[in-house]
Amino acid sequence: MYGGGGGTVAPGGLVEVRTAVIGPTVRRVRHRHRRPRLSLRLRGTELRVGIARTAIVNAVSVGSAGLGGVLAARSLGPAPRGEYAAIMTWFGTLLMVGQLGQTAAVAYHVAREPRRAADHLATSRNIMLVTGLLAIGAGLVAAPMLGRHHGEAVWGYRLVFLTCLPTFVGASYTFALLATRLALWNLVRISQPLAYLAVLGLLYLTGGLTLTTLVWTLCLTMVAQTVLAYALCRRHGLAGGRGRADLARPLLRYGVSQVTAAVPTTLTGRLDQLVLSMAVAPAALGHYAVATSVTNLALPLVGAVGSVVYPRIASHTMSAQGALALQRRAVWTSAVLSAVLLLAVAASAPWVVPSVFGAGFRGAVLLIWLLSPGTALLACGMVCADLLRGHGRPLAVARAQGISAVAVAVLLAVLLPTMGLPGAALASTVAAGVALILMLRALPGRSAVADGGVVDSLVEPRARTETAARTSA
């Protein structure tokens, strides 16, 4: 989601982007009118500013979504709120699978090959058109079963599944901005939750907030977000490329590696709600959804660390020593920040939940206490996953999350029948801890570091080959 500078393309102008660093963006360019070359070395101040700005945008985004959730809970009550939570859980799962990891793939390849950014984006967009249509078909078939043949819920599922196509395409445009103009990426991200909250507030004040209008608001604001992302990419020279078969393979390879990590990650983070959506009453799921939404308030703040560091590492413009130092700072920052935030959430829950959501949600307090440790571990794991992806090692994330997914499935099977909702919370906490430990062990840094270059331990085999080829050239 910020900033940055330099490298705009005038109509008819010739620009060759040599390298790009995301952050506040610093670029070397060769233009008809030569510009002074800027240093590519990252300064600590730039990193802190980038993280702080992204964290602010994340906080506003989550705050908007959280306030919208409060309005929905007060208007709908526990049962319809639980139905909406189930719709959002299944919609999010379909987005994660159907996007084939293109959010990470397009950001990674645009950061590594800025001269071919428009073609990478066009190729990713074409992939998303195909998968978006397939996702719509699968979602429409499954809607009656997921909605338990309840008319309003079934139509809610149908609406969100129809939104898959524009949302998939919009993801490619949005994450191309992550790799080039962080400020615009933040602008696109924050536009949807703010618009969503504004419309929800109007519906709440006029008494028109129902499950159906809630879903319509979500879908329309997501389509508007896609339009904004496209307009910004077109304005800054990222749109207008050509889809290329030779680019589809690396995009799909990286994206599928990302999906192999994202599927178990989603299972780890959402399997509890997916199972509860089929196993417990909507009111009970409503309590669990509120507890999850409250504890998850910390995730975007901590996740800002990974959002800023990931494309910087992926660009391979830093020395190995600099990359490892940046990695260590990111891990420690995420650990401290997540611990502080979740302690504050847990301590304030007994009076915040009844005051904000209503007395009917008082049962969510215990769940917040049980979920808080796991959410802190999950937040640190998100940053570690971004670091591994930046090093070109999404399969390491996949392995860690796959083992974690197995753990959460086994624990849910054992604990849910005997402990109920607290058992689901405990299962998700243990699984998040397993994933974090495995990803910390997979991070590079144990082998010797050669000054001035990227050591072999920093990248997957294919990324090592590409780095060596660039060095020899």
Side-chain angles (χ1 to χ4, degrees):
M1 312 184 190
Y2 323 29
T8 57
V9 183
L14 174 62
V15 174
E16 183 180 1
V17 181
R18 304 298 295 176
T19 53
V21 176
I22 320 303
T25 307
V26 181
R27 297 181 178 180
R28 289 182 182 177
V29 299
R30 186 164 64 200
H31 197 278
R32 285 176 178 172
H33 307 288
R34 293 184 64 86
R35 299 179 181 179
R37 298 198 171 198
L38 302 177
S39 172
L40 287 172
R41 187 170 296 277
L42 295 171
R43 295 185 176 90
T45 300
E46 292 175 341
L47 178 65
R48 288 191 292 270
V49 169
I51 292 174
R53 289 177 176 175
T54 302
I56 290 171
V57 171
N58 288 352
V60 173
S61 177
V62 171
S64 299
L67 184 54
V70 171
L71 297 179
R74 285 187 169 275
S75 294
L76 302 179
R81 178 65 179 85
E83 289 179 335
Y84 184 66
I87 290 172
M88 290 301 299
T89 299
W90 285 103
F91 180 44
T93 302
L94 187 56
L95 290 181
M96 178 273 301
V97 176
Q99 287 177 350
L100 292 180
Q102 289 305 295
T103 53
V106 72
Y108 180 79
H109 285 284
V110 168
R112 285 173 61 88
E113 298 185 284
R115 287 176 292 180
R116 308 178 76 182
D119 289 345
H120 278 298
L121 174 53
T123 305
S124 177
R125 177 205 60 206
N126 292 345
I127 294 171
M128 290 296 91
L129 286 172
V130 175
T131 59
L133 292 173
L134 293 175
I136 289 175
L140 292 179
V141 170
M145 179 190 68
L146 297 177
R148 303 182 185 182
H149 301 281
H150 177 255
E152 191 176 22
V154 171
W155 275 106
Y157 279 106
R158 287 171 176 164
L159 285 173
V160 296
F161 291 149
L162 286 171
T163 312
C164 284
L165 181 59
T167 303
F168 282 19
V169 173
S172 294
Y173 287 105
T174 300
F175 280 81
L177 292 170
L178 168 62
T180 55
R181 293 179 174 272
L182 197 60
L184 298 183
W185 182 60
N186 276 325
L187 175 62
V188 172
R189 280 201 311 149
I190 202 173
S191 63
Q192 189 273 334
L194 288 178
Y196 175 78
L197 178 61
V199 177
L200 250 62
L202 181 62
L203 291 171
Y204 179 80
L205 293 175
T206 58
L209 188 54
T210 65
L211 179 61
T212 299
T213 57
L214 190 62
V215 173
W216 268 109
T217 301
L218 171 73
C219 295
L220 292 176
T221 53
M222 293 187 74
V223 171
Q225 184 181 44
T226 294
V227 173
L228 175 61
Y230 170 76
L232 292 173
C233 284
R234 185 173 182 84
R235 178 179 178 182
H236 293 282
L238 289 171
R242 292 188 305 165
R244 300 174 59 94
D246 61 317
L247 298 182
R249 186 174 180 180
L251 282 167
L252 285 171
R253 181 188 299 112
Y254 190 96
V256 170
S257 298
Q258 169 67 11
V259 170
T260 60
V263 170
T265 299
T266 298
L267 288 176
T268 302
R270 295 180 180 173
L271 186 59
D272 50 357
Q273 292 194 56
L274 291 174
V275 172
L276 291 173
S277 71
M278 307 296 291
V280 303
L285 179 57
H287 287 136
Y288 197 89
V290 166
T292 302
S293 65
V294 170
T295 54
N296 284 353
L297 290 174
L299 294 181
L301 296 175
V302 181
V305 178
S307 296
V308 173
V309 172
Y310 158 63
R312 292 185 173 188
I313 292 178
S315 66
H316 287 180
T317 56
M318 305 176 68
S319 69
Q321 291 168 325
L324 293 176
L326 180 61
Q327 173 181 293
R328 285 192 293 271
R329 290 200 301 270
V331 171
W332 280 108
T333 300
S334 66
V336 173
L337 186 58
S338 61
V340 171
L341 291 173
L342 269 302
L343 281 173
V345 167
S348 61
W351 60 271
V352 168
V353 170
S355 301
V356 174
F357 292 93
F361 288 91
R362 193 179 299 275
V365 173
L366 175 61
L367 297 175
I368 290 173
W369 290 342
L370 294 174
L371 287 168
S372 291
T375 305
L377 298 173
L378 178 62
C380 294
M382 289 169 54
V383 174
C384 291
D386 282 336
L387 292 171
L388 287 168
R389 294 185 191 106
H391 287 307
R393 304 178 66 178
L395 290 178
V397 182
R399 287 189 291 268
Q401 294 293 355
I403 295 172
S404 177
V406 173
V408 75
V410 171
L411 289 170
L412 281 172
V414 173
L415 299 178
L416 188 58
T418 57
M419 297 179 62
L421 295 181
L426 180 60
S428 64
T429 295
V430 173
V434 170
L436 175 60
I437 291 171
L438 293 174
M439 284 187 286
L440 285 172
R441 290 176 60 85
L443 283 171
R446 287 183 173 81
S447 58
V449 177
D451 188 19
V454 180
V455 292
D456 287 347
S457 65
L458 286 178
V459 291
E460 296 280 13
R462 179 173 178 83
R464 284 201 298 270
T465 301
E466 294 172 352
T467 301
R470 287 198 307 274
T471 303
S472 62

